Amino acid sequence: MRSERFRNVIEGLEGERIKYLNRQAEKQLPDQHEHTLQITSYGGCGTTLLYRFFSEHGVYTPPAVDDWYPWKHMLAPPPDDKVKEGFRAVYVYADPFNATLSVFRRGFQHELVRRMARDTSGWNTDWELGDFLSEGTDYFRLTEQYRKWTEAERSYPILLLKYESMWEYLPELMTYVGLPKATADSFPEKRPRSSSWQDEPEEVQEKLEAIYGDLHNEIWDAPEFRIV
């Protein structure tokens, strides 16, 4: 009983810490976003790779994308009045089964909740993959983010790109962000994923299906490359 009360206290303190960090991060966001290219995903979709590549090639991406600025995992696209003329966005999505495995493999689950969930009640900072799956809840809000980005109505263009097919559209991607098509030749080669849901035990596959089965099917039926 004592250990249970202690755990509840710790979880409550962690929840307040996350709320505080979210408030501090939002205070740092400028009234007007200065960058002209934003790349967002729900994690496990090659976002960091794209940011580094485009930054190295002179495209004006957000500062400190690896810091607390929430550009990489923003829940919804920025409003029109927050961006400058010429702004465009890339929203990358992947099989949510593999994306979830990737997040846990890299130990990024707590950071993703911190950036995406806002309300962290019920989240346990000791959770690993099995604990998360047993809860059966989309704490990462992957489905919500996917809908907000793919159904958004904005005056600026949003490129919706399936991670698994990204390497097939590199010349078109370069053109979209304002680089010569030939820049695609220097893009890093595609590597096999370190995590594949097909290799997981049947119990893990069934629990992934229970949480993200609908999103998994929707994404695999979606176009691989489209601008909205």
Side-chain angles (χ1 to χ4, degrees), residues 33 38 74-84 87-91 144-160 176 227-228:
H33 303 337
Q38 180 171 324
M74 188 174 281
L75 189 62
D80 288 331
D81 61 359
K82 286 284 190 178
V83 301
K84 64 193 301 183
F87 178 87
R88 58 194 54 221
V90 178
Y91 179 66
E144 181 181 352
Q145 189 206 49
Y146 177 81
R147 296 274 160 69
K148 286 182 179 295
W149 277 88
T150 58
E151 299 174 6
E153 294 184 1
R154 296 288 187 269
S155 63
Y156 57 83
I158 301 176
L159 170 60
L160 307 177
Y176 176 81
I227 299 173
V228 297

Side-chain angles (χ1 to χ4, degrees), residues 11-82:
E11 289 178 5
L13 291 173
E14 179 64 14
E16 290 304 313
R17 184 184 77 89
I18 290 173
K19 291 177 183 177
Y20 169 78
L21 290 171
N22 283 334
R23 289 195 299 269
Q24 294 303 110
E26 288 166 355
K27 287 179 182 178
Q28 295 179 58
L29 288 176
D31 291 334
Q32 185 80 7
H33 303 337
E34 292 299 318
H35 54 277
T36 55
L37 175 68
Q38 180 171 324
I39 307 161
T40 298
S41 77
Y42 44 61
C45 302
T47 322
T48 301
L49 168 66
L50 289 170
Y51 265 121
R52 288 175 178 169
F53 182 84
F54 289 135
S55 296
E56 291 170 358
H57 286 78
V59 181
Y60 192 4
T61 60
V65 295
D66 291 322
D67 200 353
W68 232 100
Y69 287 89
W71 317 113
K72 286 171 63 176
H73 306 299
M74 188 174 281
L75 189 62
D80 288 331
D81 61 359
K82 286 284 190 178

Side-chain angles (χ1 to χ4, degrees), residues 31-208:
D31 291 334
Q32 185 80 7
H33 303 337
E34 292 299 318
H35 54 277
T36 55
L37 175 68
Q38 180 171 324
I39 307 161
T40 298
S41 77
Y42 44 61
C45 302
T47 322
T48 301
L49 168 66
L50 289 170
Y51 265 121
R52 288 175 178 169
F53 182 84
F54 289 135
S55 296
E56 291 170 358
H57 286 78
V59 181
Y60 192 4
T61 60
V65 295
D66 291 322
D67 200 353
W68 232 100
Y69 287 89
W71 317 113
K72 286 171 63 176
H73 306 299
M74 188 174 281
L75 189 62
D80 288 331
D81 61 359
K82 286 284 190 178
V83 301
K84 64 193 301 183
E85 185 177 354
F87 178 87
R88 58 194 54 221
V90 178
Y91 179 66
V92 189
Y93 51 91
D95 184 330
F97 295 171
N98 283 335
T100 300
L101 294 177
S102 175
V103 166
F104 277 92
R105 179 181 58 81
R106 293 176 292 143
F108 188 59
Q109 62 269 29
H110 306 303
E111 283 297 311
L112 191 59
V113 165
R114 170 181 157 187
R115 298 184 188 195
M116 294 272 282
R118 300 304 188 206
D119 180 7
T120 58
S121 57
W123 179 261
N124 189 320
T125 55
D126 292 329
W127 277 355
E128 297 297 337
L129 177 64
D131 306 301
F132 168 79
L133 293 177
S134 294
E135 287 293 309
T137 300
D138 181 10
Y139 281 100
F140 300 141
R141 298 169 79 179
L142 305 192
T143 301
E144 181 181 352
Q145 189 206 49
Y146 177 81
R147 296 274 160 69
K148 286 182 179 295
W149 277 88
T150 58
E151 299 174 6
E153 294 184 1
R154 296 288 187 269
S155 63
Y156 57 83
I158 301 176
L159 170 60
L160 307 177
L161 180 63
K162 188 181 294 186
Y163 168 79
E164 285 83 2
S165 306
M166 182 168 68
W167 279 261
E168 300 172 24
Y169 295 94
L170 290 179
E172 293 85 351
L173 177 58
M174 301 305 147
T175 299
Y176 176 81
V177 303
L179 293 173
K181 285 186 177 182
T183 312
D185 296 338
S186 59
F187 195 78
E189 293 184 1
K190 186 176 183 178
R191 295 180 179 178
R193 272 194 178 275
S194 299
S195 309
S196 175
W197 66 271
Q198 291 99 331
D199 297 333
E200 295 294 324
E202 184 176 349
E203 180 183 8
V204 171
Q205 295 185 32
E206 290 176 351
K207 290 181 177 180
L208 285 169

